[in-house]
Amino acid sequence: AHEDSHGHPHPQGHAEAQAAMATLYSDGKISGQTAQESAQWARSAAESGNAEAAYRYGVACLEGKGVKKDAHEAGRWFRAAADNGHAGAQGRLAILYLEGNGVTQDYVLGHMWANLGSAGGDDAAAKARDRLTSLMTREQVAQAQDLVRAWKPK
């Protein structure tokens, strides 16, 4: 029962193939695709540890594309991808912490993730970091910077 509406089997344990299928579906490269099928492929790959797929599934959860809209669930998948060094997920997670959307609002953690995402080239993370900095005390910024120095990808 692990197949999409076109009969393509979900290759259990093959995160790269699952992530590729999610990308093909979400980019419209497979005709008749649905957001739900893209989300299913992304989740399968995310569950196998693929950071890009965890990010894509987090976006699907945040936007309600193919799955129920759920910021808490989005935060969980962004965290999984962020922990593996995915800059886009780090930026999205920073914004969730900034806004208190799906996670408990925490400027220090938000700043940490924004710093990491910005260092990885994510523009949204850089903007979130600047916004957070304007809302934080010097001590909070220093605490966030300490967390960045201590952070290691999983």
Side-chain angles (χ1 to χ4, degrees):
H2 289 290
E3 51 185 51
D4 64 21
S5 65
H6 301 286
H8 300 122
H10 285 233
Q12 298 301 308
H14 299 281
E16 295 303 318
Q18 293 163 338
M21 287 298 291
T23 300
L24 290 171
Y25 273 100
S26 68
D27 292 349
K29 304 282 191 217
I30 297 176
S31 63
Q33 84 285 352
T34 68
Q36 185 177 11
E37 288 168 331
S38 176
Q40 287 171 348
W41 281 108
R43 182 169 182 144
S44 291
E47 288 173 344
S48 297
N50 183 282
E52 177 64 22
Y55 170 72
R56 284 180 178 267
Y57 190 69
V59 170
C61 291
L62 190 63
E63 297 175 356
K65 292 198 173 159
V67 294
K68 184 177 147 234
K69 190 172 186 173
D70 185 339
H72 178 74
E73 187 72 358
R76 188 169 86 83
W77 290 103
F78 288 149
R79 177 64 190 260
D83 280 343
N84 283 294
H86 191 286
Q90 291 167 338
R92 290 285 187 129
L93 193 55
I95 293 165
L96 293 182
Y97 277 116
L98 167 66
E99 298 172 348
N101 184 17
V103 297
T104 301
Q105 188 174 50
D106 188 323
Y107 291 167
V108 172
L109 284 176
H111 196 279
M112 179 199 84
W113 288 115
N115 252 337
L116 290 166
S118 178
D122 187 70
D123 292 337
K127 289 177 183 153
R129 182 197 57 218
D130 294 345
R131 196 163 151 220
L132 282 157
T133 300
S134 72
L135 299 169
M136 296 168 68
T137 65
R138 279 192 207 122
E139 292 78 18
Q140 288 174 312
V141 172
Q143 186 182 0
Q145 290 169 338
D146 287 344
L147 291 173
V148 168
R149 282 188 284 277
W151 183 83
K152 300 270 186 277
K154 294 188 176 183

